[in-house]
Amino acid sequence: MSLGPLELVMLLVATLFIALLVALPLMWLMRGARKRAALQRQVDDLRDRLDHLERP
């Protein structure tokens, strides 16, 4: 069974589409995790400052 040029192109397009369907949600989740980590660092810094202000 030999694949013609059209079948090869369609196979390549389908493979790239599936790769995008897998990669895009993973990238979105990683970006959300980075934002949450940055916010958590800010909260921790503010909490430390508040602790220093409360202590004489």
Side-chain angles (χ1 to χ4, degrees):
M1 182 177 113
S2 176
L3 294 178
L6 183 62
E7 286 88 0
L8 288 175
V9 169
M10 291 301 293
L11 187 62
L12 179 64
V13 168
T15 304
L16 290 174
F17 181 71
I18 291 171
L20 278 177
L21 284 179
V22 171
L24 287 177
L26 287 177
M27 288 168 46
W28 182 72
L29 286 174
M30 290 297 291
R31 188 183 68 193
R34 279 196 303 268
K35 283 185 179 179
R36 277 193 301 276
L39 282 175
Q40 188 61 48
R41 276 194 302 274
Q42 288 179 352
V43 167
D44 290 342
D45 289 344
L46 289 173
R47 211 173 264 150
D48 288 344
R49 286 187 199 173
L50 186 61
D51 285 344
H52 288 305
L53 287 177
E54 288 176 351
R55 282 189 232 133

